[in-house]
Amino acid sequence: MPVDFNGTWNLVSNDNFEGYMVALGIDFATRKIAKMLKPQKVIKQDGDSFHIHTTSTFRDYVLQFKIGEEFDEDNKGLDNRKCKSLVTWENDKLVCVQTGEKKNRGWTHWLEGDDLYLELRCENQVCRQVFKRA
Ligand code: YOG
């Protein structure tokens, strides 16, 4: 039985989001807005199929994938770079590798207690986000 990420989650902390955005080449004005945001994630999981909707007052981002099936990701409204993405289980963690122009790009989701964690990686930068159930 895989871990169950289903739910609506609100951001409560966002460590080094600035460094992550700089690594992605996000411009200063956009970063200023983005770091004020408190995004919400709505995760719908059916076994190994995922639908993750990240919403905010500024931009929204939708990601749909199946574990072990590589897909094209466009990062529209984020840095807009296309990449090939693959999500796999590493024990109870959901690990995404985003292969493209940026080295070492990807993210990891996991649950700790009743909190949702997200680590976002790009080049030598790591952003750590924590979400609580809405
Ligand atoms: O999550 O990929 O849950 O896709 C990363 C922002 C900010 C836009 C957010 C909008 C990267 C301006 C998505 C924030 C910074 C800054 C809310 C993280 C780029 C642009 C959408 C992500 C995965 C895992 C699912």
Side-chain angles (χ1 to χ4, degrees):
M1 271 290 282
V3 183
D4 183 4
F5 288 90
N6 278 295
T8 300
W9 305 88
N10 291 331
L11 183 82
V12 293
S13 70
N14 197 0
D15 180 51
N16 195 38
F17 189 46
E18 172 69 10
Y20 175 73
M21 288 193 291
V22 169
L24 280 177
I26 307 300
D27 68 82
F28 178 80
T30 306
R31 294 201 312 270
K32 266 185 72 168
I33 297 167
K35 64 186 163 201
M36 300 301 295
L37 302 173
K38 293 277 176 266
Q40 184 175 71
K41 274 188 200 286
V42 179
I43 303 182
K44 296 196 167 94
Q45 175 186 358
D46 180 8
D48 276 353
S49 294
F50 286 81
H51 187 284
I52 302 181
H53 192 178
T54 308
T55 64
S56 76
T57 52
F58 180 51
R59 304 253 171 91
D60 282 14
Y61 191 67
V62 177
L63 193 69
Q64 253 185 289
F65 59 87
K66 280 187 184 143
I67 298 295
E69 294 185 9
E70 192 177 59
F71 58 97
D72 293 307
E73 188 173 4
D74 63 8
N75 295 288
K76 199 168 159 52
L78 305 180
D79 67 319
N80 296 304
R81 277 189 198 85
K82 294 183 182 4
C83 60
K84 296 272 186 198
S85 300
L86 175 65
V87 186
T88 55
W89 288 111
E90 285 188 15
N91 299 309
D92 286 344
K93 293 188 176 184
L94 213 48
V95 179
C96 180
V97 175
Q98 295 171 306
T99 306
E101 193 186 323
K102 289 288 175 185
K103 298 293 175 217
N104 191 37
R105 183 173 184 172
W107 52 259
T108 300
H109 262 305
W110 69 96
L111 297 177
E112 250 179 67
D114 207 33
D115 295 339
L116 172 73
Y117 283 71
L118 173 62
E119 180 181 280
L120 295 160
R121 298 175 291 277
C122 182
E123 296 177 330
N124 60 342
Q125 296 297 313
V126 180
C127 167
R128 287 187 189 80
Q129 302 186 334
V130 183
F131 296 78
K132 288 197 178 289
R133 283 195 189 274

